[in-house]
Amino acid sequence: MSTLPSADAPFQSARTDRLRDALLAAAFTADGLLELLGAPAYAALARSETVPALRATRGDGPLETLVRLFLLQRSVPAARAAAALPLEDCLADGWLVRDGDAVRASVDVRPYGGPEGQDWWIVSDLGCAVGGAGGIAGGGAGPSGIDRSELVLGVGGASTTLAGITVRTPVGSALDLGTGSGIQALHAAQHASRVTATDLNPRALRFARLTLALSGAPEADLRQGSLFEPVAGETYDLIVSNPPFVISPGARLTYRDGGMGGDDLCRTLVSQAADRLNDGGYCQLLANWQHVEGEDWRERLSSWVPAGCDAWIVQREVQDVAQYAELWLRDAGDHRTSPEEYAARYDAWLAEFEERRTKGVGFGWITLRKSGAERPSVIAEEWPHPVEQPLGASIRDHFARQEFLRTHDDAALLEARFRLAPEVVQEQVGLPGAEDPEHVVLRQNRGMRRATKVDTVGAGFAGVCDGTLSAGRILDAIAQLVGEDPVLLRDRTPEAIRLLVEQGFLTPEG
């Protein structure tokens, strides 16, 4: 059985500093990997295909050695390892273990680029990061000999998605609920004065500490426990969570199965978040939710939102129950078991969905902001289209616009000034040679990359918005140009302006 590197040594000990210096000196970074492997091998590694990376690391330089040790999980001669890193330190602290005359890694150490070009490293169980040498093995134990129920995963699409959508304004306190290998805590440490990270799995807390220490980040307050139990009575400016959201029969795997029926874990997180947020604070999480027969999923999720919180719920994809079961059966390695065992587990998933009248499962993100509003803004929408990450600033601006719209009636709206968002383009759609277009489309090339139809008045209005004239004055000028009654135009236009503001095409100025 693999043992973890020591998590009990003083924070940022001299030995950890020396290891980090060695990783940097060898260019064992995200950029260094890409340069060494080349784009095809780098992409193949992300698909758990290791042959191209093995061919690219046939040399004996320090970077090739580190890739083979920590990413490809190969033993290397001790002398070769000593040329790449402080060998005795790594053996003493448990990063490496002896394998005859060679050494091998006890954990996966994965280079990870921070949002401002920082060189970080995410520490996880062997084979439990995207691009791990063997993938996440099936059966009772993972590649490191640890029971799969206790495995700690590294970097994956879900964790990078959450990091990208998180609002990154400076805050006094942040909570990473279900920290895993500590990716979200590492990000939060860059803009929060105090970071608390929790997890039900005590091994995850040790991995999170290793990730923070190796990356040179401030130490977090690490606490073991489920959901909000470890922080009872405390409040935060930011809560982030990539929880074990998989809707499954039972709770076989701690890293993915919430242990509650259906989507109750995600519902509980959302409904209890308001009590743990400071005024103006954000809670952001990834989630799966059931599409229940006879219920609108938007109404169902909107009912989770606690009083006094604005919410933005974005559904990114939906899978039917068979697709969903197959995805997570493969994740658990059940496809490698006997046909009879696989069929029995598949049947258990479908029976669970049938009992709950579940026809599909949605995946997406949920953001809450504790506004204290009597009439909170709760928007649930489906958006499967490409977006531009990072989206944190766009999400912050979304809630600012909702606050503006809530506090401005139509008269105040017409007195306000607006600016057309950057990178918005106009498209005219119609038959070739036609004098006038059938319709006009405004399209964003940033953020959510939305598109919306507008009439000629809406297009003209948006094009003039540069923050200098009030909406009412712009409409008066348009009315004069098109020969329309300015009073009637003022009466019928606020609804269209509100839509353009809500969707981010127009930004209130001042």
Side-chain angles (χ1 to χ4, degrees):
M1 176 180 292
S2 172
T3 58
L4 283 178
S6 173
D8 302 320
F11 172 64
Q12 287 188 349
S13 66
R15 292 200 297 240
T16 303
D17 292 344
R18 286 195 291 269
L19 175 56
R20 183 169 57 253
D21 290 344
L23 300 182
L24 288 171
F28 188 60
T29 63
D31 290 341
L33 282 183
L34 182 58
E35 183 174 349
L36 171 70
L37 300 179
Y42 190 87
L45 191 60
R47 301 190 299 270
S48 296
E49 296 291 348
T50 60
V51 172
L54 284 167
R55 292 179 60 82
T57 56
R58 288 175 291 184
D60 59 359
L63 181 54
E64 288 95 334
T65 298
L66 294 174
V67 171
R68 286 199 165 229
L69 274 172
F70 291 118
L71 301 187
L72 300 177
Q73 299 163 24
R74 297 298 197 272
S75 295
V76 304
R80 180 174 167 183
L85 43 68
L87 179 60
E88 295 305 319
D89 288 353
C90 291
L91 289 169
D93 286 344
W95 296 95
L96 302 176
V97 294
R98 291 198 180 276
D99 186 10
D101 293 333
V103 294
R104 56 182 173 80
S106 66
V107 291
D108 185 300
V109 177
R110 192 142 305 243
Y112 180 76
E116 297 178 2
Q118 303 99 323
D119 290 315
W120 293 338
W121 296 271
I122 308 301
V123 188
S124 66
D125 272 311
L126 294 172
C128 291
V130 171
I136 302 174
S144 56
I146 301 300
D147 188 282
R148 292 199 76 243
S149 66
E150 299 178 9
L151 287 175
V152 178
L153 272 60
V155 182
S159 52
T160 55
T161 294
L162 179 59
I165 68 171
T166 300
V167 175
R168 296 296 176 193
T169 52
V171 293
S173 58
L175 169 64
D176 177 11
L177 192 152
T179 188
S181 55
I183 300 167
Q184 308 309 323
L186 179 58
H187 279 277
Q190 312 308 305
H191 64 101
S193 301
R194 175 173 60 89
V195 176
T196 302
T198 69
D199 206 288
L200 182 62
N201 183 357
R203 295 185 76 252
L205 298 178
R206 296 182 65 188
F207 273 112
R209 189 181 191 283
L210 292 169
T211 290
L212 293 169
L214 189 59
S215 299
E219 192 168 14
D221 180 3
L222 304 174
R223 306 184 191 181
Q224 183 183 356
S226 177
L227 300 178
F228 291 111
E229 291 173 2
V231 295
E234 300 179 36
T235 57
Y236 298 86
D237 301 312
L238 173 67
I239 298 171
V240 292
S241 183
N242 179 15
F245 52 65
V246 175
I247 301 170
S248 61
R252 294 170 58 199
L253 305 175
T254 304
Y255 68 84
R256 68 166 209 192
D257 301 325
M260 295 185 180
D263 52 19
D264 282 355
L265 182 135
C266 293
R267 177 186 57 80
T268 300
L269 276 176
V270 172
S271 62
Q272 294 182 358
D275 293 336
R276 302 274 71 83
L277 281 175
N278 293 324
D279 291 342
Y282 290 90
C283 174
Q284 299 185 264
L285 67 146
L286 304 183
N288 276 181
W289 46 79
Q290 299 169 119
H291 282 228
V292 178
E293 183 179 0
E295 298 183 28
D296 185 298
W297 74 268
R298 296 171 180 83
E299 294 178 1
R300 188 168 177 272
L301 266 68
S302 295
S303 71
W304 295 359
V305 178
C309 284
D310 293 338
W312 188 14
I313 302 164
V314 180
Q315 180 168 272
R316 295 291 286 156
E317 67 175 297
V318 183
Q319 290 184 312
D320 64 48
V321 292
Q323 290 176 312
Y324 189 81
E326 291 162 13
L327 169 67
W328 295 109
L329 285 166
R330 287 193 300 272
D331 171 81
D334 291 326
H335 60 301
R336 301 189 185 102
T337 62
S338 69
E340 295 78 14
E341 186 176 355
Y342 177 79
R345 285 182 170 163
Y346 198 154
D347 185 70
W349 282 73
L350 297 184
E352 177 88 1
F353 286 134
E354 183 178 6
E355 182 180 348
R356 296 181 177 278
R357 299 184 295 115
T358 302
K359 299 301 182 183
V361 178
F363 169 80
W365 60 70
I366 300 174
T367 301
L368 307 178
R369 179 178 179 273
K370 191 171 183 179
S371 63
E374 294 183 5
R375 296 179 295 106
S377 165
V378 178
I379 297 174
E381 62 173 325
E382 186 165 13
W383 193 254
H385 313 294
V387 299
E388 182 192 44
Q389 286 275 38
L391 269 173
S394 297
I395 290 176
R396 178 198 62 208
D397 293 345
H398 166 89
F399 285 94
R401 294 193 303 271
Q402 305 315 306
E403 182 71 24
F404 171 86
L405 292 173
R406 180 167 46 229
T407 56
H408 285 69
D409 60 17
D410 286 355
L413 194 72
L414 293 176
E415 291 298 317
R417 293 174 290 113
F418 300 94
R419 183 180 296 275
L420 187 66
E423 305 296 330
V424 173
V425 297
Q426 175 179 304
E427 300 174 358
Q428 296 187 5
V429 181
L431 294 174
E435 184 175 347
D436 296 313
E438 293 180 10
H439 59 264
V440 177
V441 174
L442 298 181
R443 187 178 302 277
Q444 302 168 352
N445 288 318
R446 306 295 302 272
M448 293 294 285
R449 293 178 171 165
R450 296 186 186 275
T452 189
K453 290 182 182 180
V454 293
D455 59 17
T456 53
V457 170
F461 177 86
V464 176
C465 285
D466 61 2
T468 59
L469 298 175
S470 70
R473 290 187 61 187
I474 293 174
L475 291 177
D476 290 343
I478 291 175
Q480 185 174 4
L481 285 173
V482 301
E484 187 170 341
D485 186 334
V487 176
L488 294 178
L489 189 60
R490 279 174 171 254
D491 285 345
R492 70 176 177 86
T493 306
E495 181 178 354
I497 296 176
R498 287 185 181 278
L499 180 63
L500 292 175
V501 173
E502 178 182 300
Q503 295 189 343
F505 290 93
L506 296 178
T507 302
E509 190 79 3

